[in-house]
Amino acid sequence: MKEAILFIGLLISIIRCSCSFHEKTDNNLYHIDIEANMHKMQQINLSKFTKSIEYLPMEIKDNLAFTGIWECVFSDKYFLAKDISKCLLYDYNGKLISIIGNRGRGPGEYQYVNNVAFGLNKIYLQSLRDLMEYGFDGSFHDIHRNLFFFKSYYVGKWLPLNDSLFFGKIETIVGNEPCKALIFDLNGNTVKEFKNYIIFQREKPLSSETERHANIYRFQNEIFFKELHNDTLFYLSEQLELIPKYVIDLGQYTVPVSIRKLLIIPENNYMTVNNVFQTSDYLFLDTNFGSHFPARRLTPIKLPIFNIESYYNTQDVLGIFDRRNKELIFCSPTSTDNPLFTTGFYNDVDAGPRFFPKVQVDDSTMVMWVDSKQLKDHIASEEFKNAKPLYPEKKEELKHLADSLSEYDNPVLMFVTFKSEK
């Protein structure tokens, strides 16, 4: 009898603990079901979220033009634009302030521009394993060699926490890496490691942009982190713990480890959430639909490398998750040859390019960059000519901007500031 009473008491304790755990999870952890809502698509107008669109042409000096921008990073006064071979500092008028270092093998020169970030009165630039420090005038200050190589694993994506600590994502090369991320300092010391729970084994090491990619960004003074092949979006607490905040569930469309472990990835039906962007009310999900992308080009293009025809402009669809009612919908893509009218928010503000964020600038502003030739082509398109936006005067201003550009000019940055609905 005594044993039965103890068992019942233990059972009650377990139930109470279980209930308190679920209550905490329900209150603090959002569940976003991609699989259940992937067909819930509709035209979503940009005017619902903003009236503020700004276009910023980027000055060209000394023939330093970008054929394509790989990344932009923003501070309160300046932004960095980069490709793999150069990094340029601009102000918010689009004026070129300085060239950050130079490519080469001499002192203070870099081989590649892998990642860049702003520090306190300095600029950080990753070149393969090394971290370079530069002044805002582009002058070389210091180098930290092999800073991004730890215990045979490689930090492929990172963000400064302050001027001495960095948070970085470990590239999945073999599959059995013991940690997925770590915090380290400028002396190469590991401050904290975060355990990797998704373990598999490749026959041979594989270094790839896919396994290097991570979504690391700041929002409301917190660091958020999501790996490409992990369904959880974490935030970094003041105690330097990764706390789950959102579970982004792809269901049957999640890439399984049986596929990830292959050296050559076959064509598949899987999906990924590439990047997440936040406002106070919404999460915007850059979702690669793969073969499930519901639109296509009207006229195929020939891919020169493989000499095959493709009907795709993109495979990315923008998901909008409302944090208040926990509903998810997707912006329906359009079958068109116009790459600026394919996917993202419908631009009913000025009839410009559909907006699909690429970088979070601050808590309310996001940016995408538009190739100058594509912008000119868009202005000449029937989609633009036939559009009746809410602000015809803004449409006319955009037309004047496009007319002033050469197709060889730098890409144009498109800034959108989202309003709060609270």
Side-chain angles (χ1 to χ4, degrees):
M1 181 70 177
K2 185 177 180 180
E3 291 179 352
I5 293 173
L6 288 174
F7 175 78
I8 292 171
L10 179 61
L11 182 61
I12 292 173
S13 297
I14 292 173
I15 292 172
R16 284 176 176 170
C17 290
S18 176
C19 289
S20 65
F21 171 80
H22 285 297
E23 287 173 0
K24 183 177 181 181
T25 301
D26 290 341
N27 290 334
N28 296 282
L29 189 65
Y30 291 85
H31 180 258
I32 305 176
D33 194 332
I34 301 287
E35 180 184 8
N37 295 283
M38 61 183 288
H39 300 297
K40 190 187 292 184
M41 294 192 177
Q42 64 186 59
Q43 176 175 320
I44 302 176
N45 293 329
L46 194 55
S47 63
K48 176 183 176 182
F49 300 91
T50 187
K51 296 178 182 177
S52 175
I53 302 176
E54 295 184 13
Y55 297 91
L56 185 66
M58 299 165 59
E59 181 184 21
I60 296 177
K61 283 185 180 178
D62 302 322
N63 295 319
L64 286 171
F66 288 102
T67 54
I69 294 175
W70 286 40
E71 184 181 13
C72 284
V73 177
F74 298 86
S75 73
D76 56 343
K77 293 182 179 179
Y78 304 104
F79 67 90
L80 294 163
K82 80 168 196 73
D83 57 20
I84 197 170
S85 62
K86 61 181 175 292
C87 177
L88 307 180
L89 180 69
Y90 290 87
D91 66 16
Y92 279 94
N93 293 315
K95 179 182 178 182
L96 177 62
I97 303 301
S98 59
I99 304 165
I100 307 303
N102 289 287
R103 191 175 186 182
R105 296 185 177 272
E109 296 179 328
Y110 46 76
Q111 293 178 262
Y112 300 100
V113 184
N114 297 98
N115 296 290
V116 295
F118 284 101
L120 182 61
N121 298 319
K122 67 181 71 171
I123 290 168
Y124 294 116
L125 185 151
Q126 179 186 2
S127 177
L128 299 176
R129 297 183 178 187
D130 301 332
L131 179 69
M132 324 278 286
E133 291 185 17
Y134 295 91
F136 280 29
D137 61 354
S139 61
F140 172 70
H141 287 186
D142 202 356
I143 184 171
H144 306 271
R145 296 194 181 279
N146 293 315
L147 187 66
F148 298 106
F149 194 71
F150 293 85
K151 301 177 185 177
S152 78
Y153 44 79
Y154 178 68
V155 176
K157 192 71 176 178
W158 50 271
L159 197 67
L161 300 181
N162 51 46
D163 239 33
S164 61
L165 291 180
F166 298 77
F167 175 87
K169 145 77 176 164
I170 298 297
E171 181 180 5
T172 305
I173 295 177
V174 178
N176 62 357
E177 286 77 8
C179 63
K180 61 186 176 185
L182 77 167
I183 296 173
F184 56 98
D185 64 21
L186 282 172
N187 295 317
N189 300 312
T190 301
V191 176
K192 188 177 184 67
E193 294 185 351
F194 300 93
K195 186 176 179 180
N196 176 27
Y197 293 97
I198 305 175
I199 301 295
F200 57 94
Q201 181 69 53
R202 288 196 177 102
E203 293 182 2
K204 296 180 181 179
L206 174 66
S207 180
S208 70
E209 182 61 32
T210 298
E211 296 289 8
R212 198 176 304 125
H213 176 80
N215 194 195
I216 309 174
Y217 63 93
R218 280 187 177 87
F219 178 73
Q220 295 182 345
N221 297 318
E222 290 181 331
I223 300 291
F224 283 79
F225 168 66
K226 184 188 179 300
E227 299 171 279
L228 184 65
H229 296 301
N230 191 321
D231 64 1
T232 305
L233 175 63
F234 301 88
Y235 73 91
L236 189 66
S237 71
E238 293 182 357
Q239 293 73 37
L240 302 183
E241 298 288 344
L242 284 177
I243 309 298
K245 186 66 176 179
Y246 299 90
V247 174
I248 304 174
D249 187 2
L250 290 165
Q252 64 177 317
Y253 302 106
T254 302
V255 179
V257 294
S258 60
I259 294 295
R260 291 179 63 193
K261 69 191 297 185
L262 301 177
L263 297 179
I264 300 177
I265 305 299
E267 186 175 344
N268 57 68
N269 293 321
Y270 304 113
M271 297 164 58
T272 55
V273 175
N274 299 330
N275 293 292
V276 179
F277 309 94
Q278 290 195 51
T279 69
S280 58
D281 301 316
Y282 298 96
L283 258 66
F284 303 131
L285 308 177
D286 173 6
T287 309
N288 187 308
F289 270 54
S291 60
H292 302 282
F293 188 76
R296 56 186 287 169
R297 289 181 59 89
L298 302 177
T299 308
I301 56 173
K302 182 159 289 188
L303 302 178
I305 298 177
F306 304 103
N307 196 31
I308 59 175
E309 290 187 338
S310 172
Y311 278 91
Y312 286 107
N313 284 327
T314 180
Q315 295 178 333
D316 293 338
V317 183
L318 186 63
I320 301 173
F321 177 74
D322 191 323
R323 297 175 69 249
R324 298 159 301 178
N325 59 26
K326 300 182 181 179
E327 290 186 356
L328 173 66
I329 56 175
F330 287 92
C331 299
S332 55
T334 302
S335 294
T336 174
D337 291 337
N338 181 354
L340 300 185
F341 198 74
T342 301
T343 190
F345 290 106
Y346 283 78
N347 187 348
D348 62 331
V349 175
D350 60 13
R354 291 180 63 169
F355 183 71
F356 202 116
K358 290 189 176 181
V359 174
Q360 183 124 7
V361 178
D362 56 34
D363 289 352
S364 59
T365 302
M366 297 166 203
V367 69
M368 64 178 272
W369 39 92
V370 179
D371 178 83
S372 58
K373 183 181 185 306
Q374 289 183 353
L375 181 58
K376 293 177 72 68
D377 289 344
H378 174 73
I379 300 304
S381 70
E382 292 302 314
E383 289 97 347
F384 181 82
K385 291 177 180 178
N386 297 331
K388 299 187 186 318
L390 295 176
Y391 304 95
E393 70 280 6
K394 292 182 182 291
K395 178 181 180 181
E396 195 62 28
E397 290 173 5
L398 180 57
K399 183 178 184 303
H400 286 313
L401 170 62
D403 289 342
S404 70
L405 295 173
S406 159
E407 63 181 69
Y408 303 106
D409 279 335
N410 270 330
V412 175
L413 300 189
M414 180 180 177
F415 291 84
V416 172
T417 299
F418 289 81
K419 60 188 178 183
S420 174
E421 299 184 17
K422 291 183 179 179

